[in-house]
CSV table of all heavy atoms in Angstrom, one decimal:
chain,number,residue,atom,x,y,z
C,992,ALA,N,-60.2,66.9,26.7
C,992,ALA,CA,-61.3,66.7,25.8
C,992,ALA,C,-62.6,67.2,26.5
C,992,ALA,O,-62.9,66.8,27.6
C,992,ALA,CB,-61.5,65.2,25.4
C,993,GLY,N,-63.4,67.9,25.8
C,993,GLY,CA,-64.6,68.5,26.3
C,993,GLY,C,-65.7,67.6,26.8
C,993,GLY,O,-66.4,67.8,27.8
C,994,HIS,N,-65.9,66.5,26.1
C,994,HIS,CA,-67.0,65.6,26.4
C,994,HIS,C,-66.8,64.8,27.7
C,994,HIS,O,-67.7,64.1,28.1
C,994,HIS,CB,-67.3,64.7,25.2
C,994,HIS,CG,-66.3,63.6,25.0
C,994,HIS,ND1,-66.6,62.2,25.4
C,994,HIS,CD2,-65.1,63.6,24.5
C,994,HIS,CE1,-65.5,61.5,25.1
C,994,HIS,NE2,-64.6,62.3,24.5
C,995,LYS,N,-65.7,64.9,28.3
C,995,LYS,CA,-65.4,64.2,29.6
C,995,LYS,C,-65.9,65.0,30.8
C,995,LYS,O,-66.0,64.5,31.9
C,995,LYS,CB,-64.0,63.9,29.8
C,995,LYS,CG,-63.4,63.0,28.7
C,995,LYS,CD,-63.9,61.6,28.6
C,995,LYS,CE,-63.1,60.8,27.6
C,995,LYS,NZ,-63.7,59.4,27.5
C,996,PHE,N,-66.2,66.3,30.6
C,996,PHE,CA,-66.7,67.1,31.7
C,996,PHE,C,-67.9,67.9,31.3
C,996,PHE,O,-68.0,69.1,31.6
C,996,PHE,CB,-65.5,68.1,32.3
C,996,PHE,CG,-64.7,68.8,31.2
C,996,PHE,CD1,-65.2,69.9,30.6
C,996,PHE,CD2,-63.4,68.3,30.9
C,996,PHE,CE1,-64.4,70.6,29.6
C,996,PHE,CE2,-62.7,69.0,29.9
C,996,PHE,CZ,-63.2,70.1,29.3
C,997,TYR,N,-68.9,67.3,30.7
C,997,TYR,CA,-70.2,67.8,30.4
C,997,TYR,C,-70.2,68.9,29.3
C,997,TYR,O,-71.0,69.8,29.3
C,997,TYR,CB,-70.9,68.3,31.7
C,997,TYR,CG,-70.9,67.2,32.7
C,997,TYR,CD1,-69.8,67.2,33.7
C,997,TYR,CD2,-71.8,66.2,32.8
C,997,TYR,CE1,-69.8,66.2,34.6
C,997,TYR,CE2,-71.8,65.2,33.7
C,997,TYR,CZ,-70.8,65.2,34.6
C,997,TYR,OH,-70.7,64.2,35.6
C,998,GLY,N,-69.2,68.8,28.5
C,998,GLY,CA,-69.1,69.7,27.3
C,998,GLY,C,-69.4,68.9,26.0
C,998,GLY,O,-69.7,67.7,26.1
C,999,PRO,N,-69.4,69.5,24.9
C,999,PRO,CA,-69.7,68.8,23.6
C,999,PRO,C,-68.6,67.8,23.2
C,999,PRO,O,-67.4,68.0,23.6
C,999,PRO,CB,-69.9,69.9,22.6
C,999,PRO,CG,-69.1,71.0,23.1
C,999,PRO,CD,-69.1,70.9,24.6
C,1000,LYS,N,-69.0,66.8,22.4
C,1000,LYS,CA,-68.0,66.0,21.7
C,1000,LYS,C,-67.4,66.7,20.5
C,1000,LYS,O,-67.9,67.7,20.1
C,1000,LYS,CB,-68.7,64.7,21.3
C,1000,LYS,CG,-69.2,63.8,22.4
C,1000,LYS,CD,-70.1,62.7,21.9
C,1000,LYS,CE,-70.7,61.9,23.0
C,1000,LYS,NZ,-71.5,62.7,24.0
C,1001,GLY,N,-66.2,66.2,20.1
C,1001,GLY,CA,-65.6,66.8,18.9
C,1001,GLY,C,-64.8,68.0,19.2
C,1001,GLY,O,-64.4,68.8,18.2
C,1002,ILE,N,-64.5,68.3,20.5
C,1002,ILE,CA,-63.7,69.5,20.8
C,1002,ILE,C,-62.7,69.1,21.9
C,1002,ILE,O,-63.1,68.4,22.9
C,1002,ILE,CB,-64.5,70.7,21.2
C,1002,ILE,CG1,-63.7,72.0,21.4
C,1002,ILE,CG2,-65.4,70.5,22.4
C,1002,ILE,CD1,-63.2,72.7,20.2
C,1003,GLY,N,-61.5,69.5,21.8
C,1003,GLY,CA,-60.5,69.3,22.9
C,1003,GLY,C,-59.5,70.4,22.7
C,1003,GLY,O,-59.7,71.3,22.0
C,1004,ALA,N,-58.4,70.2,23.5
C,1004,ALA,CA,-57.3,71.2,23.4
C,1004,ALA,C,-56.0,70.6,23.7
C,1004,ALA,O,-55.9,69.6,24.4
C,1004,ALA,CB,-57.6,72.4,24.3
C,1005,LEU,N,-55.0,71.2,23.2
C,1005,LEU,CA,-53.6,70.9,23.6
C,1005,LEU,C,-53.0,72.1,24.2
C,1005,LEU,O,-53.0,73.2,23.6
C,1005,LEU,CB,-52.8,70.4,22.4
C,1005,LEU,CG,-51.3,70.0,22.7
C,1005,LEU,CD1,-51.3,68.8,23.6
C,1005,LEU,CD2,-50.6,69.7,21.4
C,1006,TYR,N,-52.5,72.0,25.4
C,1006,TYR,CA,-51.7,73.1,26.1
C,1006,TYR,C,-50.3,72.8,25.6
C,1006,TYR,O,-49.8,71.7,25.8
C,1006,TYR,CB,-51.9,73.0,27.6
C,1006,TYR,CG,-50.7,73.6,28.3
C,1006,TYR,CD1,-50.5,74.9,28.5
C,1006,TYR,CD2,-49.7,72.7,28.9
C,1006,TYR,CE1,-49.4,75.5,29.2
C,1006,TYR,CE2,-48.6,73.2,29.6
C,1006,TYR,CZ,-48.5,74.6,29.7
C,1006,TYR,OH,-47.4,75.1,30.4
C,1007,ILE,N,-49.6,73.9,25.1
C,1007,ILE,CA,-48.2,73.8,24.7
C,1007,ILE,C,-47.5,75.0,25.4
C,1007,ILE,O,-47.8,76.1,25.2
C,1007,ILE,CB,-48.0,74.0,23.2
C,1007,ILE,CG1,-48.9,72.9,22.4
C,1007,ILE,CG2,-46.6,73.8,22.8
C,1007,ILE,CD1,-49.0,73.2,20.9
C,1008,ARG,N,-46.6,74.6,26.3
C,1008,ARG,CA,-45.9,75.7,27.1
C,1008,ARG,C,-45.2,76.6,26.2
C,1008,ARG,O,-44.6,76.2,25.2
C,1008,ARG,CB,-45.0,75.0,28.1
C,1008,ARG,CG,-44.4,76.1,29.1
C,1008,ARG,CD,-43.7,75.4,30.3
C,1008,ARG,NE,-42.6,74.5,29.8
C,1008,ARG,CZ,-41.3,75.0,29.5
C,1008,ARG,NH1,-41.0,76.3,29.6
C,1008,ARG,NH2,-40.4,74.2,29.2
C,1009,LYS,N,-45.3,77.9,26.5
C,1009,LYS,CA,-44.6,78.9,25.7
C,1009,LYS,C,-43.1,78.6,25.5
C,1009,LYS,O,-42.4,78.1,26.4
C,1009,LYS,CB,-44.6,80.3,26.4
C,1009,LYS,CG,-45.6,81.3,25.8
C,1009,LYS,CD,-45.3,82.7,26.3
C,1009,LYS,CE,-45.7,83.0,27.7
C,1009,LYS,NZ,-47.1,83.0,28.0
C,1010,GLY,N,-42.7,78.7,24.2
C,1010,GLY,CA,-41.3,78.5,23.9
C,1010,GLY,C,-40.9,77.1,23.4
C,1010,GLY,O,-39.8,76.9,23.0
C,1011,ILE,N,-41.9,76.2,23.4
C,1011,ILE,CA,-41.7,74.9,23.0
C,1011,ILE,C,-42.0,74.8,21.5
C,1011,ILE,O,-43.0,75.3,21.0
C,1011,ILE,CB,-42.6,73.8,23.7
C,1011,ILE,CG1,-42.0,73.7,25.1
C,1011,ILE,CG2,-42.6,72.5,23.0
C,1011,ILE,CD1,-42.9,72.9,26.0
C,1012,LYS,N,-41.0,74.3,20.7
C,1012,LYS,CA,-41.3,74.2,19.3
C,1012,LYS,C,-41.9,72.8,19.0
C,1012,LYS,O,-41.6,71.8,19.6
C,1012,LYS,CB,-40.0,74.4,18.5
C,1012,LYS,CG,-38.9,73.4,18.6
C,1012,LYS,CD,-37.8,73.8,17.6
C,1012,LYS,CE,-36.9,72.6,17.6
C,1012,LYS,NZ,-35.5,72.6,17.5
C,1013,ILE,N,-42.9,72.9,18.1
C,1013,ILE,CA,-43.7,71.7,17.8
C,1013,ILE,C,-44.1,71.8,16.3
C,1013,ILE,O,-44.5,72.8,15.8
C,1013,ILE,CB,-44.9,71.5,18.7
C,1013,ILE,CG1,-45.6,70.2,18.5
C,1013,ILE,CG2,-45.9,72.7,18.6
C,1013,ILE,CD1,-46.6,69.9,19.6
C,1014,GLU,N,-44.0,70.7,15.6
C,1014,GLU,CA,-44.5,70.6,14.2
C,1014,GLU,C,-46.0,70.5,14.2
C,1014,GLU,O,-46.6,69.9,15.1
C,1014,GLU,CB,-43.9,69.4,13.5
C,1014,GLU,CG,-42.3,69.5,13.4
C,1014,GLU,CD,-41.9,70.4,12.2
C,1014,GLU,OE1,-42.7,70.6,11.3
C,1014,GLU,OE2,-40.8,71.0,12.4
C,1015,ASN,N,-46.6,71.0,13.1
C,1015,ASN,CA,-48.0,70.9,13.0
C,1015,ASN,C,-48.4,69.5,12.6
C,1015,ASN,O,-47.7,68.8,11.9
C,1015,ASN,CB,-48.5,71.9,11.9
C,1015,ASN,CG,-48.5,73.3,12.3
C,1015,ASN,OD1,-48.0,73.6,13.4
C,1015,ASN,ND2,-49.0,74.2,11.5
C,1016,LEU,N,-49.6,69.1,13.1
C,1016,LEU,CA,-50.2,67.8,12.7
C,1016,LEU,C,-51.1,68.0,11.5
C,1016,LEU,O,-51.2,67.2,10.6
C,1016,LEU,CB,-51.0,67.2,13.9
C,1016,LEU,CG,-51.6,65.9,13.6
C,1016,LEU,CD1,-50.5,64.8,13.5
C,1016,LEU,CD2,-52.6,65.5,14.8
C,1017,ILE,N,-51.9,69.1,11.5
C,1017,ILE,CA,-52.9,69.4,10.5
C,1017,ILE,C,-52.4,70.7,9.7
C,1017,ILE,O,-52.3,71.7,10.4
C,1017,ILE,CB,-54.3,69.6,11.1
C,1017,ILE,CG1,-54.7,68.2,11.7
C,1017,ILE,CG2,-55.3,70.0,10.0
C,1017,ILE,CD1,-56.1,68.2,12.3
C,1018,HIS,N,-52.2,70.5,8.4
C,1018,HIS,CA,-51.8,71.6,7.6
C,1018,HIS,C,-52.9,72.3,6.8
C,1018,HIS,O,-53.8,71.6,6.4
C,1018,HIS,CB,-50.6,71.2,6.7
C,1018,HIS,CG,-49.5,70.5,7.4
C,1018,HIS,ND1,-48.5,71.3,7.9
C,1018,HIS,CD2,-49.3,69.3,7.8
C,1018,HIS,CE1,-47.6,70.5,8.5
C,1018,HIS,NE2,-48.1,69.2,8.5
C,1019,GLY,N,-52.8,73.5,6.6
C,1019,GLY,CA,-53.9,74.2,5.8
C,1019,GLY,C,-53.8,75.7,6.1
C,1019,GLY,O,-52.7,76.3,5.9
C,1020,GLY,N,-54.9,76.3,6.5
C,1020,GLY,CA,-55.0,77.7,6.8
C,1020,GLY,C,-54.2,78.1,8.1
C,1020,GLY,O,-53.6,77.3,8.7
C,1021,GLY,N,-54.3,79.4,8.4
C,1021,GLY,CA,-53.5,79.9,9.5
C,1021,GLY,C,-54.2,80.0,10.9
C,1021,GLY,O,-53.8,80.7,11.8
C,1022,GLN,N,-55.2,79.2,11.1
C,1022,GLN,CA,-56.0,79.2,12.3
C,1022,GLN,C,-55.1,78.8,13.5
C,1022,GLN,O,-54.1,78.1,13.3
C,1022,GLN,CB,-57.3,78.3,12.2
C,1022,GLN,CG,-58.3,78.8,11.3
C,1022,GLN,CD,-58.2,78.3,9.9
C,1022,GLN,OE1,-57.1,77.7,9.5
C,1022,GLN,NE2,-59.2,78.6,9.0
C,1023,GLU,N,-55.6,79.1,14.7
C,1023,GLU,CA,-54.9,78.7,15.9
C,1023,GLU,C,-53.5,79.2,15.9
C,1023,GLU,O,-52.5,78.4,16.1
C,1023,GLU,CB,-55.0,77.2,16.2
C,1023,GLU,CG,-56.4,76.7,16.6
C,1023,GLU,CD,-57.0,77.4,17.8
C,1023,GLU,OE1,-56.6,77.1,18.9
C,1023,GLU,OE2,-57.9,78.3,17.7
C,1024,ARG,N,-53.3,80.5,15.5
C,1024,ARG,CA,-52.0,81.1,15.4
C,1024,ARG,C,-51.0,80.2,14.6
C,1024,ARG,O,-49.9,79.9,15.0
C,1024,ARG,CB,-51.4,81.4,16.8
C,1024,ARG,CG,-52.3,82.3,17.6
C,1024,ARG,CD,-51.9,82.7,18.9
C,1024,ARG,NE,-51.6,81.7,19.9
C,1024,ARG,CZ,-52.6,80.9,20.4
C,1024,ARG,NH1,-53.8,81.0,20.0
C,1024,ARG,NH2,-52.3,80.0,21.3
C,1025,ASN,N,-51.5,79.8,13.4
C,1025,ASN,CA,-50.7,79.0,12.4
C,1025,ASN,C,-50.3,77.6,12.9
C,1025,ASN,O,-49.4,77.0,12.3
C,1025,ASN,CB,-49.5,79.8,12.0
C,1025,ASN,CG,-49.8,81.0,11.1
C,1025,ASN,OD1,-50.6,80.9,10.2
C,1025,ASN,ND2,-49.3,82.1,11.5
C,1026,LYS,N,-51.0,77.2,14.0
C,1026,LYS,CA,-50.5,75.9,14.5
C,1026,LYS,C,-51.5,74.7,14.2
C,1026,LYS,O,-51.1,73.6,14.2
C,1026,LYS,CB,-50.4,76.0,16.1
C,1026,LYS,CG,-49.3,76.8,16.6
C,1026,LYS,CD,-48.1,75.9,17.0
C,1026,LYS,CE,-47.1,76.5,17.9
C,1026,LYS,NZ,-46.2,77.4,17.2
C,1027,ARG,N,-52.8,75.1,13.9
C,1027,ARG,CA,-53.8,74.0,13.7
C,1027,ARG,C,-54.8,74.5,12.7
C,1027,ARG,O,-55.7,75.3,13.0
C,1027,ARG,CB,-54.4,73.6,15.0
C,1027,ARG,CG,-55.1,72.2,15.0
C,1027,ARG,CD,-56.5,72.3,14.6
C,1027,ARG,NE,-57.2,71.1,14.8
C,1027,ARG,CZ,-58.5,70.9,14.3
C,1027,ARG,NH1,-59.1,71.8,13.7
C,1027,ARG,NH2,-59.0,69.7,14.5
C,1028,ALA,N,-54.7,74.0,11.5
C,1028,ALA,CA,-55.5,74.5,10.4
C,1028,ALA,C,-57.0,74.0,10.5
C,1028,ALA,O,-57.2,72.9,11.1
C,1028,ALA,CB,-55.0,74.0,9.0
């Protein structure tokens, strides 16, 4: 999460190792390579 190291609030990231299958949490458009709308 960005706000823990002097970045803005409301932004974070999930690292997903290549080749791991994972279902989407947020459905909608094709942003973030169709993984997070």
Side-chain angles (χ1 to χ4, degrees):
H994 73 106
K995 303 293 188 184
F996 45 78
Y997 310 93
K1000 294 169 183 62
I1002 184 81
L1005 180 63
Y1006 154 78
I1007 306 169
R1008 188 169 61 82
K1009 251 197 292 286
I1011 289 173
K1012 64 176 196 220
I1013 187 165
E1014 294 284 332
N1015 288 5
L1016 182 70
I1017 296 179
H1018 303 273
Q1022 292 89 350
E1023 293 299 287
R1024 300 184 300 295
N1025 290 312
K1026 287 263 199 281
R1027 199 270 188 188

